[in-house]
Amino acid sequence: MSTIVIEKYVDEICVEQLELPVRPLQFIAKLLPKQAWRQLERRGLDVEALLNDAVPHSGVQWLEVKEKDVLKRVRVMRRD
């Protein structure tokens, strides 16, 4: 089963990891408003590439977020 793996790093140390199955995410993604898609794209996340079964999934996507004044890097990838 294909999954989306999301890992959160602080100072290059993985502090949190989450694996989600692709199929339910594909369904949920169709319910997102266009504005949410644009926000994710502006942040550097290509949701379409992650969820599309026809696209090879060798790429890893990175985001930078700030939580409670702590800068964190988030790695998002698909594992088939």
Side-chain angles (χ1 to χ4, degrees):
M1 168 178 39
S2 296
T3 59
I4 300 296
V5 180
I6 303 168
E7 299 171 330
K8 192 182 301 180
Y9 291 83
V10 176
D11 296 326
E12 298 186 29
I13 298 170
C14 184
V15 296
E16 192 173 342
Q17 181 179 3
L18 179 65
E19 285 193 47
L20 303 165
V22 169
R23 293 283 179 233
L25 291 175
Q26 289 171 328
F27 174 75
I28 292 168
K30 292 176 185 175
L31 302 175
L32 285 175
K34 290 187 187 293
Q35 182 180 3
W37 280 94
R38 286 192 298 270
Q39 286 286 344
L40 291 169
E41 287 173 353
R42 270 189 238 128
R43 303 272 312 199
L45 188 63
D46 187 353
V47 178
E48 184 72 32
L50 287 168
L51 298 180
N52 189 343
D53 289 328
V55 177
H57 305 288
S58 60
V60 173
Q61 299 183 35
W62 288 92
L63 301 167
E64 289 193 2
V65 297
K66 194 171 190 178
E67 289 181 336
K68 299 180 183 177
D69 296 327
V70 177
L71 186 60
K72 300 178 181 182
R73 292 192 74 208
V74 178
R75 180 168 77 163
V76 183
M77 62 186 169
R78 180 168 171 159
R79 187 176 293 152
D80 289 318

